[in-house]
């Protein structure tokens, strides 16, 4: 375990330490602040980028397509992070651009509906409907019929939920999208009945804080009946077999570190092929710091290479 975060993160942590916590300013200002933070990130050229729509659970959702070249290609449905409350297409432009150009896959970033206006399970239902739509009719996205799912943090949680829903639907002989791979950057996947040491170890000072996680949870989960919902907390699932192969990235100074590691181990124990890459000196959200942090470049390359091998 590294003693402290990488020096390349020093200035970023100084800036975030001076900013008010999202939970202290409320939903509207938190969204604006996160968008403003993302505007300082460099963006990258991609062969073609355009906005469109994709089917959600209750009508069309905004989406953004990143095509790395001509011709039909496999598609990665990507779900952005932000605690299910903040974030959007603009906040993850850089990640999607680089994943597309480095992997050769088309990336479709899905603007699922956010809490608290749309609490669980609506964002997950939106994510699943979008993947179904892309799998059923890939032509509008330049897809060749192969579909993977991915995301960071809350988006990683949605990606895991989509794979579980698809597996369970297939087991019931229902129509279900065939998902080829799952690419998860520091996913939120813990059980509310387990204690994860990293949530205590990294509770403050490393961008995502324990108090903010609690606030996100309050906005997202409005009913205690979901406490044992496996689609909300995939580490509650007893059998993870027959899920798609996974690439999982975790960070040492992330409060979600231990649950990401636990999920990688649980998948492997149930026979799912997993590539787990751990960045000891990184913090939650580090992949968005492409162009400023070397490890972000490496983590994008890890994910892109995993897709390219499909």
């Amino acid at each position: 375990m590294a003693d402290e975060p990488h020096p390349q993160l020093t200035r970023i942590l100084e800036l975030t330490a001076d900013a008010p916590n999202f939970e202290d300013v409320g939903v509207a200002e938190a969204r604006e602040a996160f968008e403003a933070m993302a505007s300082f990130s460099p963006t990258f050229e991609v062969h073609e980028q355009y906005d469109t729509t994709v089917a959600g659970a209750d009508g069309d959702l905004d989406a953004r397509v990143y095509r790395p070249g001509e011709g039909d290609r496999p598609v990665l449905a990507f779900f952005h992070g932000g605690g299910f409350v903040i974030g959007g297409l603009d906040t993850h432009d850089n990640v999607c651009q680089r994943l597309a150009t480095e992997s050769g896959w088309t990336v479709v970033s899905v603007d699922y509906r956010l809490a608290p206006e749309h609490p669980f399970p609506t964002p997950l239902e939106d994510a699943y409907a979008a993947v179904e739509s892309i799998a059923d009719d890939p032509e509008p996205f330049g897809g060749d019929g192969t579909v993977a799912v991915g995301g960071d943090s809350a988006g990683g949680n949605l990606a895991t939920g989509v794979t579980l829903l698809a597996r369970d639907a297939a087991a019931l002989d229902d129509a279900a999208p065939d998902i080829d791979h799952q690419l998860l950057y520091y996913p939120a996947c813990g059980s509310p009945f387990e204690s994860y040491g990293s949530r205590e170890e990294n509770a403050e000072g490393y961008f995502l804080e324990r108090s903010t996680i609690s606030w996100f949870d309050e906005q997202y989960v409005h009913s205690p009946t979901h406490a044992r919902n496996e689609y909300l907390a995939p580490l509650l699932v007893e059998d993870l077999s027959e899920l798609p192969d996974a690439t999982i990235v975790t960070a040492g100074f992330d409060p979600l570190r231990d649950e990401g590691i636990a999920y990688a181990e649980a998948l492997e124990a149930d026979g799912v092929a997993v590539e787990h890459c751990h960045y000891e000196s990184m913090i939650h959200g580090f992949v968005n710091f492409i162009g400023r942090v070397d490890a972000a470049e490496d983590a994008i390359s890890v994910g892109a290479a995993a897709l390219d091998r499909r």
Side-chain angles (χ1 to χ4, degrees):
M1 174 78 183
D3 292 332
E4 57 185 24
H6 195 282
Q8 289 181 330
L9 293 168
T10 301
R11 183 57 181 154
I12 294 168
L13 288 172
E14 289 173 349
L15 291 171
T16 56
D18 291 338
N21 289 336
F22 295 137
E23 64 270 25
D24 294 332
V25 299
V27 171
E29 286 191 39
R31 289 172 179 166
E32 291 176 5
F34 195 51
E35 292 275 351
M37 288 170 56
S39 70
F40 290 102
S41 297
T43 55
F44 304 92
E45 289 188 8
V46 63
H47 174 75
E48 185 179 13
Q49 176 176 320
Y50 59 90
D51 289 347
T52 185
T53 60
V54 63
D58 186 25
D60 287 345
L61 304 169
D62 290 335
R64 184 166 295 162
V65 178
Y66 307 81
R67 297 190 66 197
E70 300 293 339
D72 293 342
R73 293 169 180 267
V75 174
L76 171 70
F78 186 89
F79 308 107
H80 67 80
F84 311 99
V85 177
I86 60 178
L89 301 180
D90 293 340
T91 61
H92 287 66
D93 254 344
N94 58 350
V95 173
C96 294
Q97 288 161 345
R98 289 295 294 275
L99 282 173
T101 55
E102 291 198 28
S103 69
W105 285 50
T106 291
V107 176
V108 179
S109 182
V110 178
D111 202 17
Y112 57 89
R113 290 174 289 175
L114 296 175
E117 300 91 335
H118 304 285
F120 180 83
T122 297
L124 176 57
E125 291 170 342
D126 276 347
Y128 187 73
V131 172
E132 276 191 308
S133 176
I134 294 167
D136 290 345
D137 187 15
E139 185 177 354
F141 308 97
D144 65 3
T146 300
V147 178
V149 295
D152 68 312
S153 191
N157 174 279
L158 294 178
T160 65
V162 168
T163 64
L164 288 165
L165 284 167
R167 182 199 66 173
D168 294 349
L172 295 172
D173 294 324
D174 293 336
D178 183 10
I179 299 172
D180 189 68
H181 192 69
Q182 48 183 326
L183 172 58
L184 312 176
Y185 290 106
Y186 26 81
C189 50
S191 161
F193 302 102
E194 295 292 336
S195 176
Y196 301 98
S198 57
R199 291 203 179 202
E200 300 296 327
E201 257 178 64
N202 302 322
E204 295 180 344
Y206 303 117
F207 179 56
L208 177 65
E209 301 198 337
R210 181 175 56 187
S211 59
T212 308
I213 296 171
S214 296
W215 181 71
F216 284 150
D217 289 344
E218 290 169 5
Q219 311 310 306
Y220 187 46
V221 185
H222 289 187
S223 171
T225 60
H226 293 308
R228 292 191 181 276
N229 194 314
E230 296 177 350
Y231 299 122
L232 173 66
L235 276 172
L236 289 169
V237 180
E238 290 188 6
D239 180 7
L240 295 167
S241 63
E242 299 184 28
L243 289 178
D245 295 354
T247 301
I248 299 178
V249 169
T250 53
F253 290 92
D254 180 2
L256 303 186
R257 178 195 69 211
D258 288 354
E259 58 206 77
I261 293 171
Y263 192 59
E265 291 173 346
L267 284 169
E268 261 190 326
D270 286 338
V272 178
V274 177
E275 179 183 11
H276 174 211
C277 295
H278 182 65
Y279 294 83
E280 286 192 354
S281 62
M282 288 294 110
I283 61 173
H284 190 84
F286 79 91
V287 176
N288 283 79
F289 305 140
I290 312 165
R292 292 185 170 87
V293 175
D294 293 342
E297 302 278 354
D298 189 76
I300 289 290
S301 295
V302 165
L307 294 172
D308 187 48
R309 290 193 296 269
R310 308 309 300 169

